[in-house]
Amino acid sequence: MLKGVAASTGIAIGKVLVLKEGKKDIEKYEVTDVKSELLRFKKALEKAKQEIAEIKENAEKNFGEERAMIFEAHLMILEDEEFKGSIEGKIQEGINGEYAIKETVEIFENIFLSMDNEYMRERAADIKDVGYRVIKILQGEDSNLLKDLKERCIVVAKDLTPSDTAQLKREYVLGFITELGGKTSHSAIIARALEIPAVSGIENAAEILKTGDFIILDGVNGIIYINPDEKLINEYQEKVEIESKLKNELLIYKDKEAITRDGKRIEIAANISSKDEIEIALKYGADGIGLFRTEFLFMNRETPPTEDEQFETYKYVLEKMDNKPVVIRTLDIGGDKKISYIDVGTEMNPFMGLRGIRLCFERLDLFKSQLRALLRASLYGNLKIMFPMISSQDEIIKAKKILEECKNEVVNQGYNISNNIEIGIMIEIPSAAIISDLLAKEVNFFSIGTNDLIQYTIAVDRMNEKVSNLYEPSHPAVLRLIKMVIDNAHREGKWAGMCGEMASDVNLIPLLIDYGIDELSMSAPSILTVKKVILHG
């Protein structure tokens, strides 16, 4: 048995195909005709650009425009003057092109791997992906490892690059395993978008596993069983069948309203991180979008999205949801979410530092650009704007004042905006929950973010394995705060929803309904199960 990181949920049972890196040894030798070697490198570079452009086009069709931005970043690496300059400099010293690229990739790779932030460390894979593509072209090898798959298999690789992943054929790939990467790697993100089970972070997986091995990939628990016995295979096949059967049976709830036995309708909404996830939300019958995390719009790029870019995204989401409610959370960066072009410096306690609305107040240029884009898009659907990380009454008053300034600017520029935009806040800090009676007077709705609320309330870092056993959603202090928030919202005639993981916990949903929760928002695949639980009490 091998244990790794559960990168994408699901179970796959089948034969292994190990993808060896395949490249020839990269030998170092001296070149005397530097001019010809530079020309050879430049031709390879241009071919690599063409290949990546084709992969990007393919990715846009399969995964959507936003996720295809990964390959825009790859193209930018090939255009990067520092990257190209380093390679050309080495060639001018008489080093052959392949080795000059290898050395440069290692330098850049080490820089990214030495960074404190996990997300930035994983960008080292992008540098390597791009560099080795050019090397393979120079060596006359085929760079597209997965394009010719014709049999169903579980792919195993040391490092399945984003471009490898983008080319895979869903009908042939049952799942994949990598030695490198984590939950936030691009490959993991794409695997989840395609609903392909995946486990990453298994050391020496490409050496331990052999092509033809029969395995069980448990993407729920991050476990691999090699050549399992018949009993275990039968157990997992039964799990797959049960899961498949349940999925099909649950489809009857897709168009049903979640109405409790005493007649109250609960809105069941979807959490999304990208406009490309709208189709999945609709597939599972979401009543609306309860949380659109806009961070993804700002990631994987060198500069922030323009106001017009954001407008197009928000407009698209609102139109696709066809006047169903769409709660869009303003930029929630900081803590564990970093963006290269937003420098918050080094913080002792980043989760309690410059993040969420605090960062927006520091970067008014970004905040106002987003608010203006949201206001302009408001005519195209049922928009609700939500501010994250609110801890005091002053913060919500300040955020609303800035929103009013943006309204005046937008209207004065000749844009029409909706007169019916609800304003809400995330309740994810104990102070916000405790003064929710005051905050309820300032907003139209609350959405309880339980992931942070729980860890701040009982002082437990849920990502710290040494104390994660203490992370308890049903801790009495947490439940009292949730009840208090819902009661205070209702006293002011406002609605209260929930968008943290707890919203899809079928064991706690009856209690939340008893407390009076009005809306539950969750990952789209959980929607049908939750509807079933509510309808059958």
Side-chain angles (χ1 to χ4, degrees):
M1 185 185 84
L2 303 174
K3 182 80 173 74
V5 176
S8 179
T9 191
I11 294 167
I13 303 173
K15 286 188 176 179
V16 163
L17 172 68
V18 178
L19 291 181
K20 296 294 181 185
E21 289 195 301
K23 55 187 176 291
K24 299 171 186 171
D25 290 338
I26 302 169
E27 295 178 358
K28 181 179 181 181
Y29 57 87
E30 187 179 348
V31 293
T32 52
D33 188 349
V34 169
K35 192 174 175 183
S36 295
E37 190 67 3
L38 280 171
L39 185 61
R40 193 169 77 95
F41 164 66
K42 286 177 181 174
K43 283 183 178 176
L45 195 70
E46 289 307 310
K47 187 174 180 191
K49 286 181 192 173
Q50 288 173 14
E51 288 183 357
I52 294 172
E54 287 173 13
I55 293 169
K56 179 171 177 274
E57 187 179 342
N58 185 49
E60 281 175 349
K61 289 176 189 168
N62 292 328
F63 316 127
E65 190 178 337
E66 286 179 34
R67 290 207 164 88
M69 287 296 289
I70 294 167
F71 302 104
E72 188 63 39
H74 283 200
L75 288 170
M76 289 171 71
I77 292 170
L78 291 180
E79 297 284 358
D80 185 82
E81 290 301 327
E82 198 173 346
F83 184 73
K84 280 193 303 183
S86 173
I87 297 167
E88 289 172 352
K90 290 176 186 298
I91 293 173
Q92 283 165 345
E93 290 171 6
I95 298 174
N96 58 306
E98 293 91 330
Y99 207 83
I101 297 169
K102 177 179 178 286
E103 284 193 338
T104 299
V105 165
E106 285 173 354
I107 292 168
F108 278 74
E109 195 180 7
N110 287 332
I111 291 171
F112 278 90
L113 288 174
S114 67
M115 293 181 178
D116 292 334
N117 181 269
E118 182 185 355
Y119 176 81
M120 295 306 291
R121 284 198 301 276
E122 287 174 352
R123 300 293 71 78
D126 295 330
I127 300 284
K128 196 172 177 181
D129 187 359
V130 170
Y132 277 90
R133 175 173 296 281
V134 185
I135 289 174
K136 287 175 184 175
I137 292 169
L138 286 172
Q139 292 180 326
E141 288 189 17
D142 187 352
S143 303
N144 303 322
L145 299 173
L146 290 167
K147 69 177 185 182
D148 296 326
L149 277 184
K150 291 190 171 56
E151 292 184 4
R152 303 185 82 194
C153 61
I154 297 170
V155 174
V156 179
K158 182 173 182 179
D159 184 12
L160 199 58
T161 65
S163 55
D164 289 335
T165 317
Q167 294 173 88
L168 60 81
K169 296 178 179 176
R170 178 67 184 92
E171 63 270 33
Y172 293 127
V173 178
L174 299 169
F176 63 74
I177 301 163
T178 58
E179 294 179 10
L180 304 179
K183 281 193 172 182
T184 57
S185 68
H186 288 317
S187 298
I189 291 168
I190 290 174
R192 289 196 289 273
L194 292 173
E195 298 185 353
I196 296 176
V199 175
S200 60
I202 295 184
E203 194 174 352
N204 298 323
E207 296 298 324
I208 297 168
L209 294 165
K210 310 294 180 193
T211 294
D213 278 348
F214 191 84
I215 66 167
I216 295 171
L217 184 161
D218 181 343
V220 179
N221 299 301
I223 295 172
I224 307 298
Y225 297 99
I226 308 169
N227 298 322
D229 60 30
E230 194 173 334
K231 183 183 174 191
L232 192 60
I233 294 171
N234 289 337
E235 282 178 18
Y236 267 90
Q237 280 178 333
E238 195 174 332
K239 284 184 184 180
V240 172
E241 286 169 14
I242 290 171
E243 189 178 319
S244 175
K245 188 179 174 189
L246 284 175
K247 274 187 180 177
N248 289 331
E249 288 177 354
L250 287 171
L251 285 174
I252 63 170
Y253 298 102
K254 180 188 168 189
D255 298 318
K256 291 185 184 294
E257 294 182 339
I259 298 175
T260 63
R261 286 189 173 180
D262 59 359
K264 177 176 178 177
R265 180 168 187 248
I266 311 292
E267 295 275 343
I268 307 299
N271 295 340
I272 63 170
S273 301
S274 152
K275 69 178 186 180
D276 304 320
E277 293 173 32
I278 288 290
E279 295 298 337
I280 299 176
L282 293 171
K283 172 185 165 186
Y284 289 109
D287 294 327
I289 300 301
L291 172 64
F292 180 10
R293 304 180 185 93
T294 54
E295 293 78 63
F296 205 94
L297 273 172
F298 290 76
M299 296 166 72
N300 301 318
R301 51 193 302 154
E302 299 296 317
T303 56
T306 65
E307 180 181 314
D308 284 344
E309 279 180 74
Q310 293 185 69
F311 163 74
E312 292 297 336
T313 297
Y314 306 144
K315 174 174 175 280
Y316 176 89
V317 173
L318 288 162
E319 286 182 331
K320 288 292 284 185
M321 291 308 294
D322 195 21
N323 219 38
K324 291 179 178 175
V326 175
V327 178
I328 298 184
R329 182 178 70 186
T330 56
L331 184 62
D332 186 16
I333 288 296
D336 61 339
K337 291 175 282 191
K338 304 287 187 188
I339 291 178
S340 60
Y341 54 84
I342 301 178
D343 182 14
V344 298
T346 302
E347 297 180 296
M348 286 288 285
N349 296 298
F351 281 94
M352 290 184 278
L354 192 60
R355 54 170 295 201
I357 196 70
R358 301 168 185 178
L359 179 61
C360 287
F361 290 156
E362 287 290 315
R363 290 295 305 266
L364 279 179
D365 55 330
L366 297 178
F367 191 35
K368 292 187 77 170
S369 168
Q370 183 173 40
L371 293 178
R372 288 167 51 87
L374 285 167
L375 291 167
R376 287 170 53 195
S378 63
L379 280 181
Y380 298 90
N382 185 357
L383 171 66
K384 302 174 192 303
I385 298 175
M386 180 162 70
F387 299 116
M389 198 69 183
I390 294 291
S391 62
S392 71
Q393 202 172 9
D394 287 345
E395 285 175 336
I396 182 61
I397 291 171
K398 184 174 179 179
K400 285 167 58 180
K401 182 171 178 287
I402 296 168
L403 180 64
E404 282 303 311
E405 290 172 7
C406 291
K407 277 185 185 175
N408 291 334
E409 290 172 9
V410 169
V411 170
N412 287 339
Q413 287 180 336
Y415 293 108
N416 293 318
I417 63 174
S418 169
N419 294 319
N420 190 31
I421 307 171
E422 290 192 358
I423 305 301
I425 57 171
M426 289 272 285
I427 300 285
E428 52 191 333
I429 302 174
S431 64
I434 292 166
I435 62 166
S436 52
D437 57 330
L438 303 176
L439 298 179
K441 298 178 190 301
E442 303 291 342
V443 297
N444 302 109
F445 68 92
F446 291 147
S447 185
I448 306 170
T450 52
N451 300 349
D452 275 342
L453 183 63
I454 294 167
Q455 69 174 356
Y456 289 138
T457 301
I458 55 180
V460 171
D461 179 354
R462 60 197 158 95
M463 303 304 287
N464 183 340
E465 60 184 23
K466 293 178 182 173
V467 296
S468 59
N469 63 312
L470 300 174
Y471 183 84
E472 180 48 66
S474 59
H475 189 291
V478 174
L479 296 180
R480 285 186 189 186
L481 288 178
I482 290 172
K483 178 75 164 58
M484 184 191 297
V485 169
I486 296 170
D487 286 346
N488 284 332
H490 289 173
R491 282 194 193 97
E492 293 295 330
K494 315 295 170 64
W495 61 271
M498 179 176 286
C499 57
E501 291 296 317
M502 199 169 160
S504 58
D505 188 330
V506 294
N507 295 315
L508 292 174
I509 285 172
L511 183 64
L512 296 174
I513 290 172
D514 187 49
Y515 284 176
I517 198 80
D518 301 296
E519 179 240 31
L520 295 168
S521 189
M522 62 206 70
S523 64
S526 299
I527 287 174
L528 297 177
T529 302
V530 171
K531 281 189 176 182
K532 179 185 176 183
V533 168
I534 293 172
L535 281 164
H536 295 284

